[in-house]
Amino acid sequence: MLQPEIIEFLASTTPQILAKNIPVTENRESKRHDIQQKAEAGEEKAVSPFEFRPQRLRFAVEDEYFEDGDINRHMYLQNIVTSFVDDKQPPTISEFRCHIAGCKQLFDTLEGYEHHYNALHRNVCSNCKRSFPSNRLLEIHILEWHDSLFQIMAEKQCMYECLVEGCGLKFKTSKERKDHLIRTHSYPADFRFDKSKKIGRTTEKKTQQKKDAHMEVSATVLQQESSESMDFSLTPEPVETEPMQAANLKPRYSYKVPSSICFGQGSVRGFRGRRKK
Amino acid sequence: MWRLKTIHHKASASASDLEEFKRKRREFEKALRQARKDRQLVSKRLLQNDVEEEEKEEEESMETCFTFLSSEQVKEMIRGVQMGGEEKAARLASLRKALRNPENQLAFIKSENSMHMLIGQLSAHNAQCQLEATRCLHQLSHSSHPSVSQACVPAGPYLLTYLSSQSTQLTEVCLYTLGNLCPDNAAVREKLLAQGIVSALANCIHNQRYNLAVVEAFGFTLSQLLQAKDATEKIIPAVMASGIVPHLISALTPDPEFGFGPAIECSWCLHYLVSSSLDNSMLIAHGALSHCSAVLIALGGAVAKGNPQDGLELLIWPLLRCLGNLLASGGDVIPEDTRLLAALCVFAQIYLHLHPALSRESLWTLNNLTAGSSGFCSGLLLLNMVPILIQFLSFSGGINSMALRVLGNIAHHGPEYCVGLTQAGLLSALCATLKMADPEVVTLSLEVLYMLVSSNPQGVEEFTRLNGIPLLEAIQYNNEGEQRVRAAYILDHHFPSFSEVESL
Ligand SMILES: [Zn+2]
Ligand SMILES: [Zn+2]
Ligand SMILES: [Zn+2]
C-alpha cells in the first residue's frame, strides 16, 4: 500500500520542500460564484444549503475520540500486551444503506446495495413513490392511477391492458384483467403489482398531498404493509404546505411524472419561493 | 528493562494458554474502558530492579511472592529490621519481597509502628537502608488497595526531598512511588501539592535532565499528576509556571541508545497540557509545534522503512494529539515541512489494521494541517497522495469522514484543486460513499461533490458518465432533510439537462 516515493521522500533530509514554497493557485471563490449565479439567473435566488468550510478540530483531553489511544497507553503502563500479530482489530468497513425513504435497508457490500437498488427502485412513481420491478409496470401504473384522462376513457372503452408483455389484450375493468391474468397467465390472485385503486378521485387528491411520501418498497417489506411516511417535520416551513400548481412544477428528472399531476415534494428548501404563483 | 516491555508469555506456551491469555486481556481492556468512562482510569507502575536481579527473583517468586505470612510473622520481620545491625539492609530487602503479596501488605500496615519504622529507615544515614526502605514503600504504593497506598502518605515529604538526591537510583524509586500515590485520591494530591511536588519535580528535571532513567520516571509522575480530574484548575497552571515545559519539550526526541521510554512519558505529559488548554501559544513559543513535527517526521521515516518496532505507536499517539490540538489552538502558526504530510499518511496506512483509532487520529491531524493551508493542500496533490486518501473512504468509525474532510479542504481551494481531485478519481469514490449508511459520510460526500461539480465542467461530465445522477435522485427521497436538500440543489443547479428528460 505504501508508495516508494513516499518512503524516499520521508527519508530525504535535504532539500526539504517547505509548504510556503509550493506553488499554489489562488482560491478563486468568485469564479465558482459566477457559475452559480448563472445557473440561478432568471430565478429568484435560492439559498445554497452547502456549508463546508475547512475547520481545525480540537478535541478535549477527556473526549471519547481519545479513548482507544488512552486505553493503549494504560495497557502499556500496566504491562499488558497490546497486540499480537494474529490478533488484529481490523477497521470496520462502511455499511451501505438504501436511501429511499421507507426502505433504509442495510448492506455489507456495494454489490448487495446495487442489486437491491436496481431490482426495486429503478422504477419509482414520482407521485406516490411506489416502486415497480419494470418500466412497463410503472407506465401502466401511472396511466391507471394518476392520469385523469384515463378514467374518462375507461368509461367508454377497454383501457386496462394485460400486464403480460406481448399479450396486448385490454379489459374494461381491472377486475376483468385480474381474472384474465389468473386464468390465462396463471398469475397469483394476490399479484402485488396489480393492486386496484380503491379511493375515489376527489379524496385522492387530498390524501396525495399528505401521503405522497408513502411508498411500497420491496416485496419483503411490502408483505408487512408497513410503508413509512417521510418525516416532513425536518423542513417545517408553513409556507410550503400550500399546494403547488401542477403547471409550475419542474418535472422530476428521469422518474416519470404524469403531466397532469401535482408533484407533492414541495417541501425542499431549495425550492422555496422560487416560482411565482 | 521494562521499557517497552510486554508481559512474558513464554514461547513454549500452548495455544490454549494463549487463548486464555487473550480472553483475560480482553476482559481487562473492558474494565479499563469502563474506568475511563467513569473518569477513574488510573495506572500504577512497578519498577523492577536490574535485569539480572529480576530474573533471579522471578525464579524465587514462585516461593516468596505468593507466600502468605501470618501477622505474627510480619511483626517478626519488622522487629528484625529494627534490631538489624549489619544485616538491616538485607532484612529490608526480604521484607520488600514479602510485601509483594497483597495479604502481607495489609498485615504490614495493620502492624503497629510499621510505617513509623519504614520512615525511620528512610531518613537514616545508611544509604543502602534508605534505598531498600524506599523500595518497600514503592511496593506498597503499587497496591490497588486504597488503605495500603494511603498508609504511605506520611512518607511524602521524604520522598519529595529525595527528588534532589545525588543518588539517581534513589530519585528514580521516589519518583515512581510518588507517581503511584498521586492518582489515588484528591486528598493525597492536595497534600503533595501543598508539600511542593510541582517545584520539586521542576528542580529534579532541571538537575537530572541528562539521566534518561530519571527523565522517564519524572515523565511518568508528572503525567499522573496531569491526569487528575481537577488538574485544569490548579495543577496545570502551576506546571506551566514552573519552568518544566522546556525540559518536557526537549525530552520529546527519543534517544536511540536508551529507547523510547522517556520520550513516551514526556509526550503524554505534553498531550495532557495541550489538550486541556484552549490557548497554547506559550507552548508553541517554546517550540512544542516544531519539536513534535520533527519527531513525527523521523518516526514516519522509521515506520515507512518497514518492520515498525513494536510499541512505536505509544510515542506516535501522544505526539499526533499534541500536533493536532496545537494546530487547532495555537493561532496561525503552522509547521512548514511538507514531509509531515507523508508521515501522517504513512501512519494512517500502516496502523489501519492494527490500531484503526491511530489511523483515524492521523487523518484528524492531517485535517488540521490542511484546513486553510493552500501550501499543504497543494502538497497533497503534488505528492500524489490523493489516491491514498481515497483508499480510506471505505472504512467507517470516523476514518472515512475524516478523509472526506481532508479532501474537502483541498477542494475548497477552488477550481484548479477540484480538477486535480477529479483526475485522481475522487468522483467514482464519491459514488460509493453516497450510498453509505452513515449520514455524516453522505452529507460530507454531497458537500465535496458540490464543490467538484460547481467549479469544473469536467466534474459534471464525469459524474454523469459514472451514472451518479440516480444516486442523487434516490437521496431526494431520503428521510434526512440535510441530505435531501443538498441532493436536490445539486440536481437543480448543475444537471439542468436532466430535468428536461421525460417532461410531458
Ligand atoms: Zn431500497
Ligand atoms: Zn403512482
Ligand atoms: Zn394477457
Side-chain angles (χ1 to χ4, degrees):
Chain A
M1 201 170 167
L2 276 183
Q3 295 168 325
E5 312 94 76
I6 292 193
I7 302 171
E8 206 175 296
F9 178 56
L10 268 170
S12 67
T13 40
T14 47
Q16 298 175 359
I17 308 176
L18 299 183
K20 62 174 178 191
N21 297 337
I22 289 186
V24 295
T25 10
E26 236 174 275
N27 181 5
R28 272 175 254 160
E29 187 91 33
S30 53
K31 192 171 168 190
R32 182 182 298 154
H33 225 200
D34 287 348
I35 297 172
Q36 203 172 304
Q37 277 180 348
K38 222 179 285 163
E40 286 162 8
E43 297 168 9
E44 279 172 55
K45 204 186 170 205
V47 183
S48 165
F50 293 94
E51 55 197 16
F52 181 86
R53 298 284 174 277
Q55 249 179 312
R56 292 188 187 142
L57 306 169
R58 177 186 174 271
F59 292 104
V61 89
E62 68 277 0
D63 200 292
E64 220 178 287
Y65 203 78
F66 288 154
E67 179 179 313
D68 284 4
D70 285 359
I71 299 301
N72 191 69
R73 151 90 175 151
H74 280 267
M75 300 261 270
Y76 158 71
L77 286 180
Q78 300 190 25
N79 272 339
I80 310 295
V81 181
T82 49
S83 53
F84 294 98
V85 188
D86 60 334
D87 189 29
K88 296 181 173 182
Q89 326 152 279
T92 25
I93 309 282
S94 266
E95 288 184 311
F96 297 92
R97 191 192 288 285
C98 176
H99 290 302
I100 303 282
C103 179
K104 295 176 149 191
Q105 274 201 59
L106 273 179
F107 305 92
D108 291 341
T109 62
L110 196 53
E111 289 70 34
Y113 169 95
E114 301 286 6
H115 174 76
H116 163 90
Y117 184 83
N118 290 332
L120 295 170
H121 300 309
R122 289 305 286 268
N123 301 286
V124 179
C125 170
S126 301
N127 189 65
C128 65
K129 307 292 180 291
R130 285 181 171 84
S131 62
F132 295 86
S134 74
N135 191 42
R136 176 180 160 77
L137 287 173
L138 172 62
E139 278 179 29
I140 292 176
H141 160 82
I142 290 172
L143 196 67
E144 295 177 8
W145 284 56
H146 305 302
D147 194 323
S148 38
L149 199 61
F150 178 90
Q151 305 290 337
I152 300 162
M153 289 172 74
E155 283 163 23
K156 294 172 191 156
Q157 49 183 294
C158 290
M159 287 292 288
Y160 289 91
E161 196 180 335
C162 175
L163 300 180
V164 176
E165 221 157 347
C167 172
L169 284 181
K170 292 188 174 181
F171 303 90
K172 203 156 174 56
T173 63
S174 61
K175 173 80 175 68
E176 274 176 35
R177 174 176 60 193
K178 189 172 196 146
D179 292 342
H180 161 79
L181 279 169
I182 296 166
R183 237 177 305 118
T184 313
H185 302 293
S186 333
Y187 266 45
D190 57 347
F191 183 57
R192 50 172 296 257
F193 296 109
D194 184 33
K195 290 216 175 126
S196 44
K197 203 161 68 167
K198 281 166 194 145
I199 34 171
R201 282 186 61 211
T202 37
T203 46
E204 182 211 338
K205 262 207 167 164
K206 257 188 225 159
T207 47
Q208 260 171 23
Q209 290 299 332
K210 268 183 277 170
K211 293 191 178 175
D212 64 348
H214 284 239
M215 67 178 296
E216 300 178 33
V217 198
S218 66
T220 43
V221 174
L222 196 93
Q223 273 152 17
Q224 310 156 16
E225 286 293 344
S226 63
S227 49
E228 209 180 317
S229 85
M230 196 185 285
D231 184 10
F232 278 108
S233 62
L234 287 167
T235 47
E237 275 85 355
V239 191
E240 290 156 7
T241 55
E242 70 184 77
M244 288 183 159
Q245 293 306 302
N248 284 344
L249 268 152
K250 221 180 197 178
R252 285 285 91 178
Y253 317 113
S254 53
Y255 289 129
K256 305 215 168 182
V257 184
S259 50
S260 61
I261 281 302
C262 150
F263 184 76
Q265 184 98 340
S267 62
V268 177
R269 191 150 58 110
F271 297 152
R272 191 189 311 147
R274 220 175 58 202
R275 305 282 180 171
K276 295 197 178 76
K277 304 238 157 72
Chain B
M1 270 279 286
W2 61 321
R3 314 171 212 290
L4 287 190
K5 190 188 75 170
T6 48
I7 268 187
H8 305 281
H9 55 281
K10 302 256 168 7
S12 59
S14 71
S16 70
D17 282 351
L18 191 63
E19 280 313 307
E20 175 65 8
F21 185 84
K22 284 187 194 170
R23 193 186 59 77
K24 281 201 176 139
R25 194 199 46 167
R26 276 194 294 274
E27 270 170 28
F28 189 80
E29 187 184 325
K30 210 173 137 201
L32 286 185
R33 288 185 190 276
Q34 188 53 50
R36 188 184 187 277
K37 287 198 176 74
D38 301 338
R39 300 211 60 190
Q40 277 170 347
L41 181 54
V42 159
S43 293
K44 297 187 172 197
R45 270 191 129 169
L46 189 63
L47 179 63
Q48 312 276 6
N49 301 308
D50 54 75
V51 184
E52 282 156 53
E53 194 183 336
E54 196 184 315
E55 275 166 9
K56 199 170 67 195
E57 280 176 6
E58 217 162 80
E59 283 159 28
E60 293 170 18
S61 67
M62 278 306 160
E63 306 106 55
T64 8
C65 181
F66 300 109
T67 316
F68 169 72
L69 302 175
S70 70
S71 60
E72 211 32 64
Q73 285 170 300
V74 172
K75 279 181 189 147
E76 188 54 43
M77 288 192 94
I78 296 169
R79 270 196 298 276
V81 175
Q82 281 168 325
M83 302 187 307
E86 292 294 298
E87 290 167 45
K88 204 178 252 182
R91 289 186 177 179
L92 276 165
S94 47
L95 175 63
R96 170 170 59 84
K97 281 172 203 165
L99 287 177
R100 286 178 178 179
N101 183 316
E103 299 292 328
N104 295 349
Q105 293 175 351
L106 279 170
F108 178 81
I109 62 160
K110 279 178 193 151
S111 306
E112 225 177 308
N113 276 333
S114 54
M115 202 44 77
H116 187 78
M117 177 278 290
L118 265 191
I119 292 173
Q121 299 306 319
L122 205 57
S123 50
H125 284 290
N126 182 327
Q128 195 54 36
C129 288
Q130 230 177 30
L131 185 60
E132 286 299 343
T134 315
R135 283 177 176 164
C136 287
L137 276 167
H138 175 63
Q139 187 69 57
L140 290 170
S141 75
H142 188 255
S143 165
S144 53
H145 200 292
S147 63
V148 174
S149 45
Q150 191 74 32
C152 303
V153 171
Y158 296 99
L159 295 170
L160 289 170
T161 306
Y162 295 142
L163 293 192
S164 46
S165 156
Q166 291 303 307
S167 156
T168 54
Q169 231 183 339
L170 181 60
T171 304
E172 199 187 359
V173 187
C174 288
L175 280 167
Y176 282 112
T177 308
L178 286 163
N180 285 345
L181 295 179
C182 289
D184 267 343
N185 66 53
V188 174
R189 264 193 312 276
E190 283 294 314
K191 219 170 241 174
L192 290 171
L193 285 169
Q195 289 162 357
I197 186 169
V198 174
S199 52
L201 283 171
N203 255 324
C204 173
I205 188 64
H206 184 75
N207 297 328
Q208 304 281 350
R209 59 187 181 276
Y210 302 115
N211 186 313
L212 293 173
V214 174
V215 174
E216 180 174 7
F218 155 85
F220 168 72
T221 306
L222 183 63
S223 79
Q224 294 286 82
L225 262 185
L226 293 173
Q227 278 176 95
K229 264 187 252 179
D230 46 4
T232 329
E233 294 88 55
K234 278 188 174 173
I235 301 172
I236 289 178
V239 170
M240 293 297 280
S242 66
I244 281 177
V245 168
H247 296 298
L248 218 46
I249 289 173
S250 45
L252 296 180
T253 312
D255 181 278
E257 303 266 300
F258 186 86
F260 290 90
I264 290 172
E265 297 310 312
C266 290
S267 7
W268 280 96
C269 290
L270 190 61
H271 157 57
Y272 297 133
L273 289 175
V274 167
S275 306
S276 304
S277 164
L278 291 170
D279 177 21
N280 285 310
S281 42
M282 184 259 201
L283 288 171
I284 290 177
H286 275 106
L289 194 63
S290 52
H291 268 78
C292 286
S293 307
V295 180
L296 282 170
I297 288 169
L299 290 171
V303 170
K305 264 181 224 145
N307 142 47
Q309 197 187 328
D310 199 22
L312 222 52
E313 82 279 356
L314 291 160
L315 178 57
I316 296 170
W317 225 315
L319 286 171
L320 274 179
R321 291 177 179 186
C322 291
L323 179 59
N325 270 339
L326 282 171
L327 287 166
S329 60
D332 279 331
V333 190
I334 54 167
E336 293 223 297
D337 193 334
T338 48
R339 286 180 303 169
L340 255 184
L341 294 172
L344 296 176
C345 275
V346 164
F347 298 142
Q349 279 183 300
I350 296 272
Y351 289 106
L352 183 61
H353 293 281
L354 203 54
H355 299 291
L358 181 54
S359 183
R360 182 190 66 202
E361 289 185 38
S362 308
L363 291 169
W364 160 61
T365 308
L366 189 59
N367 169 70
N368 284 5
L369 190 63
T370 51
S373 159
S374 48
F376 279 112
C377 284
S378 298
L380 282 176
L381 283 170
L382 206 71
L383 298 164
N384 198 20
M385 286 181 192
V386 175
I388 301 176
L389 290 171
I390 288 176
Q391 286 174 344
F392 292 114
L393 293 181
S394 35
F395 300 100
S396 62
I399 291 178
N400 49 9
S401 51
M402 203 50 90
L404 278 167
R405 283 186 180 282
V406 176
L407 292 163
N409 291 343
I410 303 175
H412 196 259
H413 280 290
E416 277 79 2
Y417 292 78
C418 288
V419 169
L421 290 172
T422 307
Q423 283 165 353
L426 180 55
L427 280 168
S428 73
L430 289 179
C431 284
T433 55
L434 283 172
K435 296 167 191 158
M436 283 177 180
D438 183 350
E440 190 194 2
V441 169
V442 176
T443 304
L444 277 168
S445 303
L446 286 166
E447 291 278 355
V448 176
L449 174 66
Y450 172 70
M451 291 189 269
L452 294 195
V453 296
S454 65
S455 64
N456 93 81
Q458 199 190 328
V460 176
E461 262 169 53
E462 175 84 0
F463 191 66
T464 313
R465 196 182 60 74
L466 289 165
N467 211 8
I469 289 152
L471 281 174
L472 294 179
E473 289 173 338
I475 293 172
Q476 285 194 118
Y477 297 116
N478 199 304
N479 278 359
E480 301 277 341
E482 289 220 315
Q483 299 168 14
R484 208 165 58 214
V485 169
R486 285 176 171 81
Y489 190 96
I490 296 178
L491 281 172
D492 273 358
H493 290 79
H494 300 291
F495 298 93
S497 57
F498 273 84
S499 45
E500 307 307 326
V501 172
E502 316 267 0
S503 69
L504 296 174

